[in-house]
Amino acid sequence: MPRGDGRLSHDLDPQRPGPQDACGVFGVWAPGEEVANLTYFGLYALQHRGQEAAGIAVSDGSSVVVYKDLGLVAQVFDEPTLASLRGHLAIGHTRYSTTGGSTWENAQPTIRSTTAGTTVALAHNGNLVNTADLQRDVAEQGLGSDGSTNDTSLVTMLLASYPDLSVEAAALKVLPRLRGAFSFVFMDESTLYAARDPHGVRPLVLGRLERGWVVASETAALDIVGASVVREIEPGELIAIDAEGLRSTRFAAPEPKGCLFEYVYIARPDATLAGRNVHATRVQIGRQLAKEHPVEADLVIGVPESGTPAAIGYAEASGITYGAGLMKNPYVGRTFIQPSQTLRQLGIRLKLNPLRENVRGKRLVVVDDSIVRGNTQRAIVRMLREAGALEVHVRISSPPVSWPCFYGIDFATRAELLANGLDNEGIRRSIGADTLGYVSLPGLIAATEQPKTRLCRACFDGEYPIELPAGNLIGKHVLEGVGRRVTGAAPEAARSAPRGAEHGGTPPLVASPGGATVHRP
């Protein structure tokens, strides 16, 4: 499990987490710059997208070194570690697991030596849906396992499996075989690569430094390293950056289906998606909520942080005063303590507490981004009533989440999704609100300023733009099961592998042929 670092994650109840973010990827090609430091700061800006593990791969032109571990970016890296990662080219990753459990072996970047003596390192944001098929391909080709159980390592193995091709040429063979959502940054000793699936489900942007180039999941990561935004990597596009410059190749025809939930929750408010500022989108969603679900009230408050912009928009459109009603404690650790049942019942108070003077005697509109299981909203409504609120009207800046995501966001299972089993009135009663209103799907789409046809809305309407496999060959732990069926290996071996010398003498460095070195902290 990740170590507690004293900082707040988005989980208000660690035992029943809400939607878990996709991962964050970052890449930089910049001779003469401290690329490891730039990558560290880029990952820091993307920490909200993944909080289980972090890693950086660096090349000095002759060898590739990867340093990774479980934990947040600031836990994994310190100044001496970054100073040891020297080179002109780097990629980085901050992870939330969508395929493969939270183990050191599944931390990224993944790395693989080719038979030609070069090295491939890769970081992935998204989730593939033909993972089981890829695992069978890897097994049939006799490619050895590295102990990991994620889709990213399979892609890395395939990229390294073409003895007579460059990494770039191999990518043009492998990428068309992948199904699902992927925004990749990857590298060999001399070149930075980036690729985005034909649907462009997950974001990926290109930036320019004075002496190089940057690729990142969100524009906010470009801002933090002083890079100017050039453009988005296009769906179905592979770019390569080296001493000869930047070149672009199409490996598939684009069929854009950007993730709608990025606008609601995942992306930072200061990010730009498809030319639209995320904060402005969320404020507009709040205005739409006020039009669709008006109510007489005294105060509009947001559930920090993701509900705040929509609350501002709701207040603007309704004419009701906007104010603070809930304070968020930013210094509560992640899951460094397993609370007793008594403490768990108080759980949310560790991270949110009402401003009693502001809410006492008031009719409140409480704006939040989504309802998954309903535990958070139920606790908030109860807390505000105990603080003296006369009425609590809940407004949600997304439609009911009724379907799971298979493209890079780990929602609850469909059986756990509150909206799957209850209608609006049933949900209202379940969370204890006086009234409940969700923004409509057309209203949400309009706020993004994107056509409906260019957005993936599957978690709201069940229309999956990328075909899903039949049977049970999908899900976070699919490779553990497939690996058992294909190779006869016990999945527990990978999940319980030692993570350092203190667990049985594993050396601090694990080297592989082709100049690749993986640090095991």
Side-chain angles (χ1 to χ4, degrees):
M1 292 298 293
R3 300 184 296 269
D5 70 317
R7 296 293 298 179
L8 175 68
S9 78
H10 56 268
D11 293 341
L12 295 176
D13 181 355
Q15 305 303 316
R16 299 181 178 88
Q20 302 294 315
D21 301 348
C23 301
V25 297
F26 186 90
V28 56
W29 187 91
E33 299 284 355
E34 295 180 339
V35 293
N37 290 51
L38 291 174
T39 304
Y40 172 85
F41 288 119
L43 293 180
Y44 209 91
L46 298 171
Q47 184 72 88
H48 61 288
R49 299 186 70 88
Q51 299 152 13
E52 290 187 0
I56 294 175
V58 175
S59 172
D60 60 4
S62 60
S63 64
V64 176
V65 174
V66 172
Y67 189 97
K68 61 183 181 179
D69 199 6
L70 299 180
L72 304 183
V73 175
Q75 295 173 305
V76 174
F77 297 99
D78 55 22
E79 289 189 18
T81 301
L82 292 171
S84 71
L85 301 175
R86 311 298 299 178
H88 71 287
L89 161 63
I91 64 172
H93 188 264
T94 181
R95 183 176 192 251
Y96 177 76
S97 54
T98 48
T99 295
S102 183
T103 65
W104 185 89
E105 287 75 12
N106 284 334
Q108 300 180 34
T110 54
I111 191 168
R112 191 79 173 183
S113 298
T114 72
T115 54
T118 59
T119 307
V120 180
L122 184 145
H124 175 199
N125 171 210
N127 195 56
L128 302 181
V129 298
N130 65 333
T131 303
D133 292 338
L134 297 176
Q135 170 66 29
R136 292 191 181 91
D137 291 346
V138 164
E140 289 172 1
Q141 293 181 49
L143 303 176
S145 172
D146 58 2
S148 61
T149 54
N150 61 42
D151 49 357
T152 310
S153 62
L154 296 178
V155 177
T156 311
M157 289 184 215
L158 291 171
L159 287 172
S161 69
Y162 292 86
D164 301 322
L165 297 180
S166 66
V167 172
E168 187 171 352
L172 293 175
K173 296 279 190 181
V174 172
L175 294 174
R177 296 166 60 183
L178 308 181
R179 299 290 178 268
F182 58 86
S183 286
F184 291 143
V185 293
F186 55 110
M187 62 185 285
D188 55 25
E189 282 78 0
S190 62
T191 308
L192 171 67
Y193 303 95
R196 197 173 178 201
D197 70 82
H199 298 279
V201 177
R202 300 280 150 233
L204 193 62
V205 292
L206 174 68
R208 192 74 163 100
L209 290 168
E210 184 177 347
R211 294 192 289 180
W213 298 87
V214 177
V215 180
S217 293
E218 294 183 26
T219 55
L222 304 185
D223 296 338
I224 201 171
V225 299
S228 58
V229 178
V230 176
R231 62 175 176 86
E232 293 192 353
I233 306 299
E234 294 294 324
E237 181 183 20
L238 167 68
I239 66 167
I241 301 167
D242 57 19
E244 298 180 1
L246 182 147
R247 53 191 175 273
S248 170
T249 308
R250 290 280 185 181
F251 64 86
E255 301 177 58
K257 293 287 183 182
C259 172
L260 184 53
F261 206 71
E262 290 272 355
Y263 292 94
V264 172
Y265 176 77
I266 294 176
R268 278 176 50 149
D270 52 344
T272 299
L273 299 174
R276 175 70 160 149
N277 174 259
V278 172
H279 181 270
T281 301
R282 291 175 183 169
V283 171
Q284 181 57 34
I285 295 169
R287 296 190 187 107
Q288 185 65 28
L289 256 176
K291 294 176 183 177
E292 294 180 359
H293 300 285
V295 67
E296 291 187 8
D298 306 306
L299 187 69
V300 178
I301 66 173
V303 177
E305 305 287 339
S306 52
T308 301
I312 292 170
Y314 192 101
E316 286 182 3
S318 67
I320 303 170
T321 301
Y322 168 79
L326 293 165
M327 289 301 297
K328 182 178 180 182
N329 180 358
Y331 293 100
V332 174
R334 297 188 66 217
T335 53
F336 64 93
I337 158 179
Q338 296 298 322
S340 67
Q341 181 60 32
T342 300
L343 289 176
R344 191 173 296 128
Q345 290 172 354
L346 300 175
I348 196 172
R349 292 186 183 273
L350 291 172
K351 298 187 177 184
L352 287 179
N353 203 43
L355 287 167
R356 296 177 182 274
E357 294 301 318
N358 285 17
V359 305
R360 185 180 293 120
K362 301 285 180 60
R363 299 169 298 172
L364 303 178
V365 177
V366 181
V367 182
D368 205 353
D369 59 86
S370 60
I371 296 179
V372 180
R373 296 177 178 87
N375 299 302
T376 298
Q377 291 76 20
R378 193 175 298 116
I380 288 173
V381 170
R382 183 172 61 249
M383 183 191 305
L384 291 170
R385 291 197 191 282
E386 291 171 356
L390 294 180
E391 298 175 5
V392 181
H393 305 275
V394 174
R395 296 294 180 265
I396 303 298
S397 60
S398 64
V401 176
S402 301
W403 302 82
C405 175
F406 298 103
Y407 306 139
I409 305 173
D410 191 18
F411 284 116
T413 64
R414 189 162 189 230
E416 293 175 299
L417 293 171
L418 195 61
N420 183 49
L422 296 174
D423 60 13
N424 193 78
E425 177 60 18
I427 296 172
R428 183 199 66 76
R429 289 197 304 267
S430 174
I431 65 175
D434 290 282
T435 65
L436 170 65
Y438 292 88
V439 74
S440 66
L441 184 56
L444 172 59
I445 292 170
T448 70
E449 298 184 350
Q450 289 289 299
K452 176 181 178 180
T453 55
R454 295 177 65 93
L455 293 166
C456 175
R457 317 166 306 274
C459 58
F460 303 125
D461 63 11
E463 295 182 14
Y464 293 94
I466 306 169
E467 185 177 0
L468 302 177
N472 295 320
L473 295 181
I474 197 167
K476 178 179 287 193
H477 300 292
V478 63
L479 284 186
E480 281 93 340
V482 171
R484 185 162 55 248
R485 291 192 294 273
V486 172
T487 68
E492 288 301 319
R495 287 203 291 270
S496 60
R499 203 171 61 81
E502 71 277 14
H503 295 292
T506 303
L509 298 179
V510 177
S512 58
T517 303
V518 182
H519 287 257
R520 297 176 65 103

